[in-house]
Amino acid sequence: MCGFFQVVQRDKPIDKKIFLNSLDSMKHRGPDASGYKFTQTKSYANDIFMGFGHQRLSILDLDERSNQPFVENENILLFNGEIYNYQAIKSEYQKQSIAYHTNSDTEVVAKSFSMQKFEDIHKFNGMWSLSFYDSKNNNIFLSRDRYGKKPLFYYLDKNIFCVSSTIKAIKKYLNTNLEFNEEQLLNYLLHGDMFPTETTDTHFNNIKQILPGHNGYFDIENWEIKQKRYFNACSDNIDEDYSQDNLVKKLKQSVELRLTSDRPIALLLSGGIDSSLILSILHHYGYHENVHIFMGDTGRSDDYKYAQKCANQLGIKADTIVSDYSSNAFDRFLQICLHHEKAFPFNGNAIAMSQMYEEIAQNNIPVVLDGSGGDEIFGGYWERYIPFGLKDAQSNNDQEWINHMKSFNKNKKEIQNYENYIKENSLFKKYFNPFLKIPMQNILKTKTLDPIRNPNLKFNEALCQDVSPGGRLGEWIWHNDRNSMMNSVESRSPFLDCELHSFINSGYKNKFHEDWNKYELRKVFDRFTPLPTQWRKEKQGFRWDGKHFFYNNKDRITELIQGSEILKEYAHKDLFCNAATMIPKIFRSSIGKRFLGVAGIEYMMNRD
């Protein structure tokens, strides 16, 4: 798990000092080793200068022989992530008498591409972003994992091509301020979302991305980049065996693969289904003895109590991390803005988790297992997914299941009136927010970027859209990667194993039963170790106590919002700050949080 920065430049040599300063800005992603290499080549008309930089977080093969940039037969690899099944791929290559000099997945990737086996991406089970300079063909191959767990940004003009794990490094190298994409900014101010997009565009103008499940091809001769999808979440990896036996087999394999590490490993036990099922699997096979357990107490939900119940039942030691809402919380918020690099919702996943990773890192543990992806693959959101299941059931004349669900969930509006939960909410009430000054025509054309606000989707399609580029999963794992890596911790998500992806199509009856969601996951506990969370009905999610944060930091919040140049165009800043000073709860209103989110990103991203 690392970070890398790369520059390809025509006619003008790379300024090494600026390059290394840009690389150093992502040292948090890889504090164990820093490497760089400068070289040059030619195109038909130009001299081409190239810089390759890498910050390493050592997890596999801690020896310096696995440091990067990794050179293989004059080819150069920059790699961020983990290929969990690299040993199996390595064994396959060794049958072809291919020799290895390290014990890392990095060398496996480098040798694969040096043999021009770019199609082996389909064999990779893991998370990654990478750049491979192919000296034979004088081009650059780029790739990003199926779900986009690892970031990969780029910038291209007529003379400069930058590739980076962070946007900040590109900004530093170009020595320019960043400008928000207006569509993304308005969507955040009106809806509260700034999902990673389904296109190559990002939330900043001129900063592009390699999309999840895509490969990129930069042609140095023609100075152009193309992308090609290699993974389609809605059609790939469908084996149609949705049996409990198959689920048990693949869950066990997924967890075992993610225990491959030469460094200590921890589990974040949240008190919900997903992380406690990982604990259930670890305990069943005795793996828990080599995994440190951490629980988080935010003071806002019963999750911590359920996590404690699981640990107590198994008689295992688990450390508690108590959320801090003191004066340090605002400084931590600014650091989150710096590392997230885009506006985010004010919830536990985006804000509270950074402290969890910070304290885990202080225990010298750089690898953490978590439950990310379980809700999207296995149907964890009632309000978001069940309406599509009920719609499909009606189309299938499955009135028995519909009646069954309604009888067990008489207080769930998303079930009793499911048709109304698929449509996009009206924006008219947002227009009359006294603190916004957005023209009506702009409000009316600003549609939510949420991909499942489409009544024509089927149940399986809704889940697939959420794990595809532009979907909700991309938002959650963005938080996950940035919060962990700002503390030099690698997060591993067993439910995002590519072998488990087929279960996204197991159907609404396997996801929702009576008053249970994620039904197939709940049942599988019995095949491992049953825990108190197995039939818990209402998981509240990892919470964040915004009340204390906004009350304790209102002066600094006011100063930050007042200083925002971006908000001048879209907000009545003086009116808002004056009103919030008299009525402090306005600070933590939806619009107050969004103003602060924009102001925080602007302040931290445009600092030198």
Side-chain angles (χ1 to χ4, degrees):
M1 186 69 65
C2 313
F4 63 82
F5 180 62
Q6 177 180 7
V7 175
V8 183
Q9 199 160 282
R10 293 205 280 202
D11 292 332
K12 182 180 178 181
I14 292 170
D15 187 312
K16 295 181 180 180
K17 182 178 179 180
I18 296 175
F19 180 92
L20 294 175
N21 284 339
S22 301
L23 176 63
D24 191 61
S25 71
M26 64 175 75
K27 191 170 184 178
H28 57 281
R29 294 192 69 94
D32 295 328
S34 181
Y36 55 88
K37 181 177 178 63
F38 297 99
T39 187
Q40 62 186 86
T41 184
K42 286 184 177 290
S43 67
Y44 293 125
N46 306 92
D47 290 324
I48 305 295
F49 300 89
M50 297 185 290
F52 303 83
H54 190 269
Q55 296 288 166
R56 185 184 182 196
L57 175 61
S58 304
I59 302 296
L60 299 174
D61 189 6
L62 309 185
D63 194 279
E64 63 181 16
R65 64 192 175 188
S66 291
N67 288 351
Q68 299 181 47
F70 196 90
V71 180
E72 176 75 24
N73 296 331
E74 298 184 352
N75 305 313
I76 303 172
L77 174 68
L78 297 172
F79 170 57
N80 168 30
E82 302 286 356
I83 308 302
Y84 300 119
N85 64 334
Y86 78 99
Q87 292 283 16
I89 298 172
K90 182 176 181 178
S91 296
E92 182 181 324
Y93 290 161
Q94 285 174 324
K95 293 176 183 177
Q96 305 171 37
S97 300
I98 295 171
Y100 286 85
H101 307 288
T102 77
N103 295 318
S104 70
D105 53 347
T106 300
E107 186 180 15
V108 173
V109 174
K111 277 192 162 44
S112 175
F113 296 158
S114 290
M115 294 186 291
Q116 301 295 302
K117 293 188 175 183
F118 297 104
E119 71 278 4
D120 279 3
I121 282 286
H122 293 279
K123 298 179 182 179
F124 292 177
N125 185 343
M127 53 182 179
W128 68 86
S129 64
L130 59 86
S131 173
F132 179 80
Y133 171 60
D134 180 359
S135 61
K136 177 182 178 181
N137 297 299
N138 203 25
N139 60 31
I140 294 171
F141 174 76
L142 306 161
S143 184
R144 196 166 169 212
D145 65 74
R146 294 171 179 84
Y147 298 117
K149 185 89 184 279
K150 297 291 102 190
L152 190 54
F153 303 103
Y154 69 90
Y155 167 88
L156 178 64
D157 66 22
K158 64 180 182 179
N159 290 312
I160 299 175
F161 177 56
C162 294
V163 182
S164 182
S165 298
T166 69
I167 297 172
K168 184 77 171 183
I170 296 176
K171 176 208 174 295
K172 285 181 72 69
Y173 187 79
L174 299 177
N175 190 29
T176 184
N177 279 344
L178 298 167
E179 296 181 354
F180 272 110
N181 175 288
E182 186 173 58
E183 181 184 14
Q184 286 277 314
L185 179 60
L186 290 179
N187 199 272
Y188 180 74
L189 290 173
L190 295 171
H191 296 278
D193 296 321
M194 193 176 275
F195 285 8
T197 73
E198 62 180 343
T199 72
T200 58
D201 292 332
T202 69
H203 52 287
F204 287 123
N205 293 333
N206 301 318
I207 302 295
K208 306 292 186 178
Q209 64 172 332
I210 298 297
L211 286 164
H214 283 65
N215 295 327
Y217 306 87
F218 181 65
D219 184 337
I220 294 176
E221 296 287 355
N222 295 310
W223 206 253
E224 63 179 10
I225 186 169
K226 297 180 181 178
Q227 294 196 38
K228 183 178 180 181
R229 172 183 273 180
Y230 68 84
F231 174 73
N232 187 329
C234 297
S235 61
D236 288 3
N237 208 25
I238 310 301
D239 68 9
E240 297 186 353
D241 180 0
Y242 307 127
S243 66
Q244 287 277 288
D245 285 345
N246 195 31
L247 182 55
V248 166
K249 173 186 172 184
K250 292 188 173 181
L251 284 170
K252 176 179 182 287
Q253 173 184 285
S254 173
V255 171
E256 285 179 337
L257 282 174
R258 282 158 181 79
L259 295 177
T260 304
S261 173
D262 294 326
R263 304 281 297 277
I265 299 177
L267 168 67
L268 273 175
L269 183 62
S270 72
I273 295 295
D274 305 320
S275 61
S276 60
L277 179 55
I278 295 171
L279 177 62
S280 172
I281 296 168
L282 292 172
H283 183 269
H284 183 75
Y285 294 103
Y287 300 141
H288 65 287
E289 295 179 358
N290 297 315
V291 176
H292 199 124
I293 311 299
F294 288 91
M295 305 177 294
D297 182 4
T298 65
R300 285 294 309 278
S301 75
D302 289 334
D303 289 356
Y304 175 58
K305 295 178 182 178
Y306 274 91
Q308 282 183 308
K309 289 180 180 179
C310 292
N312 291 340
Q313 176 182 307
L314 300 178
I316 61 176
K317 179 180 180 295
D319 288 345
T320 297
I321 300 172
V322 180
S323 293
D324 172 23
Y325 303 108
S326 68
S327 59
N328 293 331
F330 194 82
D331 293 327
R332 182 176 289 116
F333 161 75
L334 291 177
Q335 287 301 306
I336 292 170
C337 289
L338 174 64
H339 292 282
H340 278 233
E341 302 187 317
K342 78 174 183 66
F344 44 79
F346 280 65
N347 58 28
N349 192 53
I351 299 180
M353 290 302 297
S354 66
Q355 186 183 349
M356 296 285 290
Y357 289 113
E358 181 182 329
E359 297 205 24
I360 290 171
Q362 290 172 0
N363 283 270
N364 295 315
I365 300 176
V367 181
V368 175
L369 305 181
D370 63 49
S372 297
D375 284 320
E376 289 78 12
I377 302 294
F378 292 94
Y381 302 120
W382 281 99
E383 183 176 312
R384 192 164 179 82
Y385 299 141
I386 191 63
F388 291 99
L390 292 162
K391 182 174 69 71
D392 280 9
Q394 187 168 2
S395 298
N396 297 334
N397 295 315
D398 191 356
Q399 195 60 45
E400 181 180 356
W401 184 78
I402 294 174
N403 293 339
H404 196 66
M405 293 302 296
K406 285 188 172 183
S407 67
F408 275 90
N409 299 278
K410 293 180 179 179
N411 295 322
K412 285 191 172 74
K413 293 180 181 179
E414 63 267 29
I415 292 178
Q416 302 301 329
N417 302 297
Y418 63 89
E419 296 92 343
N420 296 325
Y421 276 78
I422 298 176
K423 301 174 184 177
E424 181 181 346
N425 294 328
S426 170
L427 285 175
F428 284 105
K429 65 179 181 179
K430 298 178 186 293
Y431 177 75
F432 294 105
N433 189 304
F435 305 124
L436 286 174
K437 56 176 182 181
I438 303 172
M440 173 63 87
Q441 64 267 26
N442 288 353
I443 289 179
L444 293 178
K445 72 180 182 182
T446 302
K447 303 298 182 183
T448 177
L449 299 179
D450 189 337
I452 75 165
R453 294 304 175 196
N454 178 356
N456 297 318
L457 292 176
K458 297 182 181 298
F459 177 76
N460 289 358
E461 292 172 338
L463 269 65
C464 286
Q465 287 295 321
D466 252 359
V467 303
S468 297
R472 190 171 182 172
L473 177 63
E475 175 78 348
W476 297 149
I477 59 179
W478 183 299
H479 305 162
N480 180 263
D481 174 79
R482 296 343 185 257
N483 281 330
S484 61
M485 290 307 296
M486 69 184 284
N487 297 291
S488 307
V489 172
E490 171 178 300
S491 62
R492 296 180 173 182
S493 307
F495 291 104
L496 294 180
D497 190 288
C498 62
E499 292 295 321
L500 284 168
H501 179 79
S502 61
F503 282 88
I504 204 169
N505 293 291
S506 65
Y508 55 82
K509 287 187 178 180
N510 277 317
K511 311 296 186 191
F512 296 97
H513 176 74
E514 296 180 354
D515 49 353
W516 311 109
N517 62 350
K518 293 196 278 195
Y519 186 56
E520 62 199 323
L521 279 189
R522 294 177 187 269
K523 289 192 297 180
V524 85
F525 272 84
D526 292 330
R527 302 287 294 274
F528 300 114
T529 302
L531 292 173
T533 51
Q534 179 177 6
W535 299 109
R536 179 187 178 190
K537 290 186 177 179
E538 295 293 341
K539 182 183 185 297
Q540 296 169 290
F542 200 66
R543 298 297 182 92
W544 176 72
D545 193 338
K547 180 178 179 181
H548 290 85
F549 172 82
F550 285 97
Y551 179 80
N552 293 337
N553 298 285
K554 53 184 179 293
D555 291 341
R556 296 183 71 180
I557 292 170
T558 300
E559 181 182 2
L560 196 62
I561 292 174
Q562 286 283 30
S564 170
E565 291 295 319
I566 294 172
L567 290 177
K568 277 183 180 180
E569 184 176 349
Y570 303 100
H572 297 290
K573 295 191 300 181
D574 290 341
L575 179 63
F576 172 81
C577 291
N578 290 336
T581 300
M582 293 185 290
I583 309 173
K585 69 186 303 182
I586 292 177
F587 278 124
R588 56 189 177 94
S589 65
S590 295
I591 197 64
K593 293 174 182 176
R594 294 168 195 174
F595 285 171
L596 179 58
V598 171
I601 296 296
E602 176 189 8
Y603 175 72
M604 296 304 291
M605 288 299 290
N606 283 326
R607 292 198 313 171
D608 292 333

